[in-house]
Amino acid sequence: MSSGYHDGEKTVQFLAGRQLEAAQLSGMIRPTLVLAAQRFLESQSLAVAGTVDAFGLWASLLTGLPGFLKVRSDRLVQIDTEPVLGSPLDRALARGTPCGLLAIDLGSRVRLRLNGTAVRTHNGGIELSLRQVYFNCPQYIQRRAIGTARSKPQSAVTVTATALTSRQIEWISRADTFFISSFHPESDCADTSHRGGFPGFVRVVNSNTLIFPDYAGNNMFNTLGNIHLNPSTGLLFLDFERGATLQLTGRSQILWDAASKQEFVGAERVIQFQVDRVLEVSNATSWRWDFVDYSPYNPSI
């Protein structure tokens, strides 16, 4: 896939009335890592990978000491972490997979998106061959500082289901941040992005349905363009204080009607997400993050 937009992105840009703005930004998407991106990547401790397996699209947490994301060339990144055995990421890597990687620094509100193909290396790590690289704006990122890392049990506890429990519904309802992965099947390209707002910006309609606002962003509509063509979507909620994760795979729909938008202050569109499968992992990471402040861009709910 070149740096040009695909048909889904172009359609959403048109429906949103943002074709001109999007055209002016298309040059941001590069096939290689510039020096600033290389330096940023190698200083990070948190990333989220979007991959596809037989059950759907998943967003998976990756963490490590700065340097666990290693730049091998301007088109190749090595990720020194071993996926949990049997996890969605582990299953996807068994055959190689399209991968959308988001590296994000919550302290400085900087994020970098890297899309390409991931394979498992001989030592159990991950190798990502790049096709698209671009920085994103700092909007809606709640600032957090990395706290003291805690010892991580050798085996994380996992719980799988096909619907949300009451405790998971409460978790989502309190969230101010989540990550979303999407996939463009024609180009075989996955993508992972960040979403943020004040607690309550994600609403649980029932145990299998969520809705959340789409606020004004960079006007490229990479995620929504993928969803327009392919509803398969993965969401990741991270418990920053306990190191647990909640992964959801399902299907998304863009709601353009005025009534849906009126449900959320500042919403330009609303996304409805239908849950197909749920994976909760305790002790998914030894890292913890301390809340600093909310993004000044967050609309009130």
Side-chain angles (χ1 to χ4, degrees), residues 75-203:
R75 292 178 181 265
L76 186 64
V77 174
Q78 179 179 320
I79 306 170
D80 288 337
T81 188
E82 193 166 341
V84 176
L85 185 65
S87 68
L89 183 57
D90 178 58
R91 293 195 300 264
L93 288 169
R95 52 179 173 74
T97 178
C99 178
L101 186 73
L102 175 74
I104 185 167
D105 187 332
L106 299 173
S108 64
R109 296 187 168 116
V110 177
R111 48 183 164 166
L112 178 68
R113 288 157 84 163
L114 308 97
N115 303 333
T117 303
V119 297
R120 194 190 308 275
T121 62
H122 67 278
N123 61 357
I126 305 167
E127 195 171 78
L128 177 62
S129 300
L130 301 175
R131 299 168 68 184
Q132 295 179 321
V133 180
Y134 55 108
F135 279 105
N136 259 174
C137 65
Q139 294 182 97
Y140 318 119
I141 299 177
Q142 323 319 332
R143 197 152 55 104
R144 285 181 162 89
I146 294 180
T148 303
R150 305 181 185 183
S151 59
K152 177 183 173 184
Q154 187 172 6
S155 298
V157 178
T158 62
V159 179
T160 59
T162 56
L164 296 166
T165 66
S166 57
R167 182 179 54 79
Q168 292 167 343
I169 288 173
E170 183 180 356
W171 177 349
I172 292 171
S173 299
R174 295 195 313 264
D176 59 40
T177 297
F178 72 93
F179 303 93
I180 180 168
S181 294
S182 58
F183 179 60
H184 181 232
E186 293 179 15
S187 63
D188 207 31
C189 191
D191 179 78
T192 299
S193 188
H194 160 281
R195 292 292 186 269
F198 286 119
F201 86 110
V202 183
R203 299 183 188 173

Side-chain angles (χ1 to χ4, degrees), residues 42-48 61-69 79-81 104-106 144-153 171 237-245 281-291:
E42 294 196 327
S43 67
Q44 298 312 300
S45 299
L46 169 62
V48 179
L61 179 69
L62 301 172
T63 58
L65 292 169
F68 91 105
L69 301 171
I79 306 170
D80 288 337
T81 188
I104 185 167
D105 187 332
L106 299 173
R144 285 181 162 89
I146 294 180
T148 303
R150 305 181 185 183
S151 59
K152 177 183 173 184
W171 177 349
F237 293 85
L238 169 59
D239 186 328
F240 293 99
E241 297 178 353
R242 295 176 178 81
T245 58
V281 182
S282 300
N283 304 307
T285 178
S286 60
W287 292 101
R288 303 292 186 269
W289 290 263
D290 299 321
F291 179 81

Side-chain angles (χ1 to χ4, degrees), residues 2 39 47 57 66 74 93 100 145 153 167 186 202 214 222 236 241 257 288 292 296:
S2 71
R39 289 174 174 170
L57 191 63
D74 62 359
L93 288 169
R167 182 179 54 79
E186 293 179 15
V202 183
D214 185 60
N222 308 110
L236 170 69
E241 297 178 353
D257 61 287
R288 303 292 186 269
V292 178

